[in-house]
Amino acid sequence: SRKCAFFSALQCINGELPNFPVFHSTKKLFSKKELEVIFFALYSLSAKEIAKKLHLSHRTIENTLQKIYRKAGINCLNQLITFCKIKGLDNYIPPQRLPIGSQLIDVGVKFLF
């Protein structure tokens, strides 16, 4: 196993160091389903695109996004991006989105796979 750094093109453009991916949230503010919607929203997918990936209606996704915004005290995607960066959710990857056959090994704070 090895540590896996999370490289984001945005981090490179902004001159930031890469972070490690996060596969579980220590914040209890959002449900697992909301975290999955946040994951896709951070990559600027539309509600319709997210709905296709999660096999839900786009209205359900729109409602979920509004619920997320209320919980975070924000109003738009740009604010969500900033909020997630501050809270450490910008590197969150839903475990169910990992390739089949990937295994996570809990080594305290960091994960190896």
Side-chain angles (χ1 to χ4, degrees), residues 2-38:
R2 59 184 162 76
K3 288 184 180 179
C4 180
F6 181 73
F7 293 98
S8 165
L10 186 57
Q11 288 173 320
C12 295
I13 291 169
N14 293 333
E16 299 171 14
L17 294 173
N19 294 313
F20 289 93
V22 176
F23 299 101
H24 70 285
S25 174
T26 58
K27 314 286 187 247
K28 299 298 180 196
L29 184 60
F30 302 111
S31 69
K32 286 182 182 182
K33 187 55 78 178
E34 289 168 341
L35 286 169
E36 196 167 12
V37 170
I38 289 170

Side-chain angles (χ1 to χ4, degrees), residues 70-85:
R70 271 193 310 277
K71 285 183 175 183
I74 57 175
N75 299 310
C76 65
L77 180 59
N78 286 338
Q79 290 176 334
L80 178 63
I81 292 168
T82 302
F83 176 86
C84 288
K85 192 173 222 177

Side-chain angles (χ1 to χ4, degrees), residues 2 8 21 25 52 55-56 58 61 84 88-89 91 99 101 113:
R2 59 184 162 76
S8 165
S25 174
K52 266 186 174 178
H55 307 290
L56 298 168
H58 74 280
I61 300 302
C84 288
L89 294 173
N91 293 327
F113 62 101

